[in-house]
Amino acid sequence: MKKVFGNLGLRGVAKLTTLVAGFALAGAAWAHVFPQKQEPGAGATVTSPAQVRVIFDGPLELAFSSLTVTDTSGKQVNTEKSAVDQHDAAVMTVALPTLSAGHYKVNWVAVASDGHRTHGDYSFDVK
């Protein structure tokens, strides 16, 4: 251990360990949520789906998170608002009308329960 930590001594090693643990906990406190699974999936070609469902890696803040779906011209195709699942706050869905064949983009905004916001998009095709 002396070769690894040089002249830090036990007290120095203890301080270094505490510092590293503090950074790890601080990182967890400042967490952001990101999609883990999308239905339809990114790049998928599907028949017209009844909804888009995105599962995130942490709970979402209902009032500030959203999903919208647009067509190739950028026109929003979903007429209903997206919703966070009442039983699993990491799942958000938006109902869709019957979609014609074409390319669609899902835009997502995810606000974690700690208030941190992330956003992004992905696309799928309807055959």
Side-chain angles (χ1 to χ4, degrees):
M1 183 142 95
K2 196 167 195 168
K3 286 183 181 180
V4 175
F5 295 108
N7 294 326
L8 279 177
L10 287 177
R11 185 172 279 162
V13 172
K15 286 181 181 179
L16 181 62
T17 303
T18 302
L19 182 66
V20 170
F23 283 128
L25 290 174
W30 296 99
H32 294 75
V33 290
F34 291 96
Q36 296 301 297
K37 183 177 181 186
Q38 303 94 3
E39 298 168 0
T45 300
V46 297
T47 59
S48 181
Q51 69 175 4
V52 167
R53 180 175 186 248
V54 179
I55 301 170
F56 291 84
D57 60 2
L60 301 166
E61 195 59 49
L62 171 68
F64 304 108
S65 300
S66 64
L67 292 174
T68 56
V69 181
T70 57
D71 63 16
T72 54
S73 68
K75 180 182 174 201
Q76 186 172 323
V77 297
N78 60 292
T79 56
E80 295 183 32
K81 289 179 68 173
S82 58
V84 174
D85 189 297
Q86 294 177 351
H87 303 291
D88 186 350
V91 177
M92 189 166 31
T93 59
V94 63
L96 296 174
T98 302
L99 300 176
S100 57
H103 188 74
Y104 294 88
K105 184 167 147 183
V106 177
N107 299 286
W108 57 268
V109 175
V111 178
S113 56
D114 67 0
H116 286 91
R117 180 182 187 270
T118 54
H119 60 90
D121 60 69
Y122 74 92
S123 299
F124 68 92
D125 294 302
V126 173
K127 54 183 170 181

